[in-house]
Amino acid sequence: MEISINKNQVARICLILASVILLFFGILHLHGTFFSTDLYPSDLGLIEKLKTATIQMDESGIIWKLWIGFNAMFSVGLIFIGSVNLYLSTKHFEFIRGNNPILTLTICSNIFFVWIGNRYMISDFAISMAIPLIFFAIGYLIIQLKRLTT
């Protein structure tokens, strides 16, 4: 009995998994930004200082509001990247399979997320971004290898 593996299906599953993971972490981060204190400093006195401190560029730029805003924008970015790739992977796989720039930009974005996570953030974040990166890279490599062999 011979088991036949459809490489397109494996690539598609990898892209779907990676997209779902990004979407999940984007939603989780958005929840952490607006509906919990997970992203708050442990020093509660520091929060009060951040609510009155401003940036030098513009005194209307209050550090605490900027912190919330940057986290919200990051969340929406993850949700967007995950949603677009999920939609394309499930509904228009042939398009994404034949369109290298989309997957290349997605992989580059994930590489940047992992780098930022390692350099400036917590290790859990870097790991949570490395997992979809691996799945996107595997899917991309399968697509490229299949293209070379056909």
Side-chain angles (χ1 to χ4, degrees), residues 22-34:
L22 282 184
L23 184 57
F24 171 77
F25 282 118
I27 292 168
L28 190 66
H29 197 85
L30 192 66
H31 178 270
T33 300
F34 290 114

Side-chain angles (χ1 to χ4, degrees), residues 1 8 39 49 51 56 92 99 104 111 122 136 141:
M1 184 165 116
N8 277 335
L39 299 175
K49 289 180 183 177
K51 286 182 177 182
Q56 292 181 15
H92 301 285
N99 199 326
T104 303
I111 289 169
I122 60 175
F136 278 126
L141 288 173

Side-chain angles (χ1 to χ4, degrees), residues 62-77:
I62 298 167
I63 300 291
W64 183 250
K65 286 184 178 182
L66 294 170
W67 169 254
I68 298 297
F70 288 132
N71 276 292
M73 286 191 303
F74 174 70
S75 302
V76 170

